[in-house]
Amino acid sequence: MTKYVYRFGGDVNDGGNGDKNLLGGKGANLDGMASIGLPVPPGFTITTAMCTRYYEDGEKFPDSLLEEVKAGIAHIQQITGKNFGDAADPLLVSVRSGARVSMPGMMDTVLNLGLNDQTVEGLAAVSGDARFAWDSYRRFVQMYSDVVLGLDHSEFEEALESAKEGNGFHLDTEMRAEDWKALVSEYKVIVERQWGKAFPQDVNDQLWGAIGAVFGSWQSERAKVYRRLNDIPAEWGTAVNVQAMVFGNMGDTSATGVAFTRDPATGENAYYGEYLINAQGEDVVAGIRTPQYLTKIAREKAGAKPLSMEESMPETYGELARVFDILEKHYRDMQDIEFTVQQNKLWMLQTRSGKRTAKAALKIAVDMAAEGLITQEEAVARVDPAALDQLLHPTLDPKAPRDVLTKGLPASPGAASGVIVFDADSAERRAELGEAVILVRVETSPEDIHGMHAAKGILTARGGMTSHAAVVARGMGRPCVSGAGALSIDNKARTMRIGDRQLVEGDILTIDGGTGEVMAGEVPTVQPELAGDFGTLMVWADKVRRLKVRANAETPLDCKTAREFGAEGVGLCRTEHMFFDAARITAVRQMILADSEAGRREALAKLLPEQRADFTAIFEVMAGLPVTIRLLDPPLHEFLPHQEAEFEEVAKAAGIGVEALKRRAAELHEFNPMLGHRGCRLGVTYPEIYEMQARAIFEAALDVADKSGEAPIPEVMIPLVATKKELELMKAVVDTTAQAVFSERGKTLEYLVGTMIELPRAALMADEIAEVGEFFSFGTNDLTQTTIGISRDDAGRFLTQYVDKGIFARDPFVSIDVEGVGQLIEIAAERGRKTREGIKLGICGEHGGDPASIAFCEKTGLDYVSASPYRVPIARLAAAQAALSAKK
């Protein structure tokens, strides 16, 4: 028979052995603290496996659990000498959740369980404190009614405030025993009115109601959202911890508090926390009363008057400090601790590895390695790569007030304030005048690139985490909130509306790309600080990683930023973004709309010097490093004119009539351009386009080699290849052009021609394609779209529900779908290497900056990942952690 209950305390060991997967984080650490002799109230843990079974069985408990819980209660009774439900000397328990990873505030807790109309009298008699007993009972009725019965808690709050006002009291601590007793009676009336039944008096009914409520809270909306945001699988479940109550509300010799063994905001090696005298845990957490500082130094620093715990309870504080040191050495990490003092006796209620800022995580990891508490490799493994985003972008001042209008998807981290503009031209124009602007669009397109670059931040009503706005914003290091569904935009009126709030162009807006919040007005930001700990940890990470890390970059600024963050080359240079520059868009449109090769070549001749200058600027920054340049990829219609004035401008430049141009534009229209005339299909149809780009690449590379003495290594990438023949044709164009340039210059240089694997057929035929291609770069954005058959720009409308319902573990555009897309990558890697041993393999989609996807790339044996410049440090750290995991 499966064992579902594990006891702790009183030298009992049921064999849980601190297994967080089985006991949850809280249960495992309670068991751990008890096993090293720390003062832990006895109790038992119902395992996460029971949670899974509970839902599988239609939210019912097996009969075997009844006996196991009964034995668990007997264990607590034996150690405490109190009996559950005993009217004379009652045992009271807490019932708390505890998933295998910390989910603070997401699931339910019930305290003081076991009180009823009889046991409250017994508690008053045995404690000698009727006020304490009735205070505990009113807390229990209020908490149980909210958590277990699901009643409206506001009515209970109103009753409490009314009772205080009626007595002329301001604080809960002023209430007397008779006041609490009267309030309990009122609470019971509220329960009967809202629930239709009397408040449960049977302590066993109370217990099972609370256990069911804690398991039930695993599927609450807030828990689901938290799991989705933190990539916690729904199948993990939560454990339930039932533990003897200890009381911090038994007068001035009792207290409760929360503490960290180091400062979770800065990482400073100093105790950090708060406590309250004569209170229970939820008083500290809920802010019902203002807590006091733990240490004298912290109190003096804040200029606070109420005494710190160090001053008011010096002996107990000394014992607590000793426990802090024991726990940090035992768990070898900064600990987040909950404790209670009952009549001068210290009890430990919880310890866990504390949540911390990225800045604190770096400092704690580096300091602990220096202290010899952990190794350098363990320090590398301790820091969450994704948390580094906090260090690389401005963030909002956490102390500043916020007028939050709505919340969208946190598409690109950082925070920005600026005036609202509704189009890219306005963004660029106002930015040139020195204004900070926020570009607000229904969705962005490649034509908005100049406005996005000019803007301090980007907000879109539509689009997901890997929409155009999100991808480009991350590459630029711009904060972005996408998919803000409550946002409606009237471009004609130049207004935006969220609910009943209307803002007009020129109003100030603030966005937080880390949380997805959209706020009216300006909220001050805090600039990032890349302290010495960052550099230290990166050196340690680079020692252990195998994967190279490149950047997705197409401007000199992007390349410079990427190199500063440690990029080892460019993994994807998208040439189409260069074509949208205002100075050359007319020539691009002339080339597209030309109805003959001669007309196209005339326009391309105008673009050649511009394109050569683009590549020269990139090669100068990346001299000596590989630069993968993707030849023109998007469908031509994206470059076409839309306004009458634009048609006239192109017609004038091309020397043909406007109507002829419009007819040509109509001919280029496509119903499904994502799968239409784009990628290598453009090169097959119009090889002169790729010829011009290849010439620009090789001329620029030779110029930089002459100037710097350090030749870049161009890797020319042919996009959207499905067949060997397509690549053969395009490679011939590139090679012929290269030889022509080398012949003209009298010099050669090393280069490669390869392809982007972004179609399932290309992955399956990788052995044939590798006969021609010298490298593969997996374009996982399009490979995900073409494998799953989902448009990433439209998926934001339903993918959240797919994740919530467990159809996908994570958004497949954020983290690689290992089972499907991942299998195609593995097949392509295996078949490509079989044909061409040592073929260079990399990944250049947005997944290149996702830690879970990087772990997959390490496992598959790819050579490099490529991420947007601001995610290069994240990729470096994630690659190191993947290498360390592979060694285990």
Side-chain angles (χ1 to χ4, degrees):
M1 187 177 70
T2 304
K3 181 178 177 65
Y4 289 117
V5 170
Y6 289 78
R7 301 168 297 167
F8 57 83
D11 297 323
V12 168
N13 185 344
D14 277 349
N17 299 322
D19 182 354
K20 290 186 179 182
N21 294 348
L22 179 70
L23 303 176
K26 188 173 291 180
N29 290 339
L30 285 168
D31 184 49
M33 286 194 292
S35 69
I36 59 174
L38 295 182
V40 175
F44 60 90
T45 299
I46 306 174
T47 66
T48 57
M50 184 65 249
C51 183
T52 303
R53 180 169 175 184
Y54 174 73
Y55 283 106
E56 287 174 350
D57 291 353
E59 299 184 28
K60 294 184 181 137
F61 296 112
D63 292 341
S64 63
L65 186 66
L66 303 178
E67 293 304 314
E68 286 193 79
V69 168
K70 195 172 177 183
I73 292 290
H75 162 69
I76 302 173
Q77 291 178 156
Q78 182 182 357
I79 294 169
T80 61
K82 298 176 182 291
N83 289 315
F84 193 47
D86 183 357
D89 187 9
L91 167 68
L92 304 186
V93 297
S94 63
V95 181
R96 301 171 188 255
S97 64
R100 67 172 79 174
V101 293
S102 176
M103 294 174 60
M106 292 303 109
M107 289 179 294
D108 290 330
T109 292
V110 178
L111 304 179
N112 305 306
L113 191 144
L115 281 171
N116 58 27
D117 293 348
Q118 287 74 47
T119 57
V120 67
E121 300 288 0
L123 183 63
V126 76
S127 66
D129 188 344
R131 184 200 174 281
F132 149 71
W134 285 98
D135 176 30
S136 298
Y137 193 18
R138 69 92 190 175
R139 289 170 182 268
F140 171 57
V141 174
Q142 186 172 353
M143 187 175 275
Y144 195 92
S145 298
D146 177 21
V147 169
V148 181
L149 304 183
L151 307 184
D152 178 7
H153 64 89
S154 63
E155 202 170 340
F156 295 89
E157 293 290 344
E158 288 167 9
L160 171 57
E161 290 306 312
S162 177
K164 286 195 290 188
E165 284 176 19
N167 286 290
F169 301 151
H170 295 288
L171 300 173
D172 294 1
T173 48
E174 297 174 274
M175 295 277 279
R176 301 157 299 191
E178 58 268 29
D179 301 323
W180 288 131
K181 189 172 183 177
L183 187 62
V184 166
S185 296
E186 192 171 345
Y187 276 4
K188 287 195 288 184
V189 171
I190 293 171
V191 170
E192 191 145 8
R193 182 170 63 250
Q194 285 195 29
W195 195 40
K197 291 187 273 186
F199 186 82
Q201 294 291 308
D202 184 293
V203 295
N204 286 300
D205 288 347
Q206 292 175 359
L207 177 63
W208 284 102
I211 292 170
V214 172
F215 278 143
S217 67
W218 177 251
Q219 292 294 1
S220 67
E221 282 308 308
R222 66 179 186 269
K224 287 179 183 176
V225 169
Y226 188 90
R227 289 201 300 271
R228 184 173 70 245
L229 294 176
N230 292 277
D231 301 319
I232 299 170
E235 62 267 19
W236 279 6
T238 182
V240 174
N241 300 287
V242 179
Q243 192 174 16
M245 280 293 300
V246 287
F247 301 96
N249 59 330
M250 291 187 75
D252 291 342
T253 60
S254 301
T256 189
V258 175
F260 295 81
T261 56
R262 303 189 188 212
D263 189 322
T266 66
E268 181 188 358
N269 192 359
Y271 302 143
Y272 176 100
E274 299 172 321
Y275 85 112
L276 273 173
I277 291 175
N278 195 20
Q280 287 197 337
E282 76 268 21
D283 296 342
V284 178
V285 177
I288 294 168
R289 288 163 51 197
T290 304
Q292 294 156 235
Y293 288 93
L294 205 63
T295 65
K296 182 181 177 184
I297 290 174
R299 178 185 71 77
E300 290 175 343
K301 188 175 177 182
K305 291 183 180 178
L307 291 179
S308 66
M309 185 177 180
E310 185 178 6
E311 295 164 295
S312 64
M313 295 180 156
E315 288 185 15
T316 311
Y317 172 83
E319 187 183 353
L320 183 63
R322 182 183 67 82
V323 169
F324 284 172
D325 292 342
I326 290 170
L327 287 173
E328 192 166 275
K329 285 184 174 67
H330 179 75
Y331 288 106
R332 300 165 63 248
D333 196 7
M334 183 265 277
Q335 294 297 292
D336 168 4
I337 293 160
E338 291 180 19
F339 65 90
T340 286
V341 180
Q342 179 177 312
Q343 297 175 322
N344 290 319
K345 176 166 175 57
L346 177 67
W347 292 97
M348 305 307 298
L349 303 183
Q350 174 171 291
T351 191
R352 60 188 174 195
S353 291
K355 300 280 184 188
R356 64 207 76 179
T357 64
K359 182 180 178 182
L362 280 169
K363 180 167 178 55
I364 290 167
V366 172
D367 284 356
M368 284 188 168
E371 293 161 18
L373 198 58
I374 60 176
T375 65
Q376 288 183 6
E377 289 191 353
E378 285 175 311
V380 168
R382 285 279 172 90
V383 178
D384 177 8
L388 292 182
D389 265 348
Q390 291 179 30
L391 300 178
L392 305 174
H393 302 273
T395 54
L396 293 180
D397 185 342
K399 299 172 186 171
R402 306 180 183 196
D403 179 7
V404 178
L405 299 172
T406 188
K407 197 167 184 180
L409 297 171
S412 182
S417 299
V419 297
I420 296 168
V421 295
F422 293 108
D423 66 84
D425 292 337
S426 298
E428 189 171 53
R429 187 174 62 252
R430 295 185 78 149
E432 285 171 355
L433 296 173
E435 287 186 285
V437 301
I438 303 294
L439 177 61
V440 180
R441 302 282 281 155
V442 174
E443 57 192 344
T444 62
S445 73
E447 285 197 60
D448 293 322
I449 197 80
H450 59 296
M452 296 174 75
H453 191 265
K456 295 293 183 186
I458 298 137
L459 169 64
T460 68
R462 286 200 291 238
M465 297 284 280
T466 57
S467 63
H468 176 268
V471 172
V472 174
R474 280 197 289 270
M476 293 177 170
R478 298 289 186 277
C480 175
V481 174
S482 64
L487 168 65
S488 63
I489 298 168
D490 186 336
N491 280 311
K492 285 186 181 176
R494 314 301 279 176
T495 62
M496 58 175 272
R497 180 175 288 279
I498 298 172
D500 59 359
R501 299 282 294 274
Q502 179 173 294
L503 287 84
V504 303
E505 190 161 59
D507 285 349
I508 301 291
L509 194 70
T510 297
I511 62 168
D512 186 340
T515 65
E517 287 183 329
V518 180
M519 292 145 277
E522 183 169 0
V523 180
T525 58
V526 180
Q527 288 301 313
E529 296 175 27
L530 297 184
D533 295 324
F534 177 86
T536 301
L537 194 82
M538 283 296 143
V539 169
W540 296 348
D542 290 342
K543 280 183 189 173
V544 297
R545 69 180 165 89
R546 181 196 63 82
L547 278 167
K548 297 287 185 186
V549 176
R550 300 191 193 180
N552 300 338
E554 48 265 354
T555 68
L557 179 60
D558 286 346
C559 293
K560 187 171 180 293
T561 302
R563 283 211 77 165
E564 287 171 356
F565 284 142
E568 296 157 303
V570 171
L572 175 62
C573 174
R574 305 174 180 94
T575 56
E576 59 269 16
H577 286 171
M578 302 167 178
F579 283 15
F580 280 104
D581 184 271
R584 62 187 78 165
I585 188 67
T586 300
V588 173
R589 287 168 172 167
Q590 183 184 344
M591 178 267 293
I592 294 168
L593 294 169
D595 58 4
S596 68
E597 182 180 335
R600 284 189 293 276
R601 286 193 179 275
E602 181 186 340
L604 288 166
K606 297 176 187 176
L607 291 170
L608 175 61
E610 303 274 7
Q611 186 90 106
R612 182 170 57 235
D614 292 330
F615 296 137
T616 299
I618 289 170
F619 289 150
E620 282 174 346
V621 179
M622 290 290 173
L625 295 174
V627 178
T628 304
I629 297 169
R630 182 177 73 187
L631 300 187
L632 193 63
D633 180 43
L636 293 180
H637 81 91
E638 287 194 8
F639 300 96
L640 290 178
H642 300 291
Q643 306 298 323
E644 190 69 27
E646 292 174 339
F647 272 108
E648 289 172 2
E649 186 180 357
V650 177
K652 185 177 178 183
I656 58 176
V658 171
E659 290 307 314
L661 280 184
K662 288 183 177 178
R663 282 195 300 274
R664 177 68 176 142
E667 289 168 8
L668 290 170
H669 173 74
E670 294 183 302
F671 291 101
N672 189 357
M674 188 261 172
L675 297 177
H677 194 189
R678 55 167 286 216
C680 68
R681 300 159 194 170
L682 289 175
V684 170
T685 314
Y686 308 126
E688 55 273 13
I689 298 176
Y690 282 8
E691 182 185 315
M692 179 279 288
Q693 290 192 292
R695 174 168 284 276
I697 290 168
F698 295 121
E699 288 180 352
L702 288 172
D703 287 345
V704 172
D706 287 344
K707 187 176 172 183
S708 68
E710 204 173 6
I713 307 165
E715 296 178 351
V716 182
M717 183 156 70
I718 312 299
L720 212 71
V721 162
T723 69
K724 173 185 170 184
K725 187 65 176 176
E726 286 171 317
L727 187 56
E728 273 180 345
L729 290 170
M730 293 303 94
K731 186 174 187 297
V733 171
V734 175
D735 287 342
T736 301
T737 306
Q739 293 312 310
V741 173
F742 295 162
S743 177
E744 292 162 15
R745 295 292 186 93
K747 292 177 183 173
T748 63
L749 54 71
E750 178 190 349
Y751 72 95
L752 300 175
V753 180
T755 187
M756 185 181 264
I757 302 289
E758 49 195 324
L759 295 173
R761 189 184 194 282
L764 295 172
M765 304 302 293
D767 48 352
E768 282 190 10
I769 293 171
E771 292 173 15
V772 182
E774 295 163 314
F775 68 87
F776 288 166
S777 180
F778 292 97
T780 51
N781 295 345
D782 274 358
L783 186 57
T784 298
Q785 291 193 100
T786 54
T787 300
I788 302 177
I790 291 176
S791 161
R792 66 174 180 172
D793 290 322
D794 299 310
R797 300 173 188 172
F798 59 85
L799 266 183
T800 298
Q801 293 174 359
Y802 265 54
V803 173
D804 284 347
K805 294 179 186 299
I807 297 170
F808 292 131
R810 288 187 67 189
D811 182 335
F813 293 107
V814 172
S815 193
I816 284 177
D817 162 35
V818 172
E819 292 176 348
V821 177
Q823 188 175 163
L824 286 173
I825 293 171
E826 289 170 335
I827 288 168
E830 180 190 344
R831 293 181 182 177
R833 284 180 174 140
K834 194 172 180 182
T835 297
R836 186 184 292 268
E837 191 177 345
I839 188 172
K840 191 182 289 188
L841 302 175
I843 181 175
C844 64
E846 276 300 292
H847 299 96
D850 169 58
S853 301
I854 291 168
F856 168 77
C857 293
E858 171 69 31
K859 175 175 166 286
T860 309
L862 301 191
D863 298 303
Y864 69 87
V865 297
S866 189
S868 55
Y870 281 88
R871 293 186 74 82
V872 165
I874 295 169
R876 287 166 64 194
L877 183 56
Q881 292 180 352
L884 290 172
S885 295
K887 283 166 58 176
K888 289 178 183 175

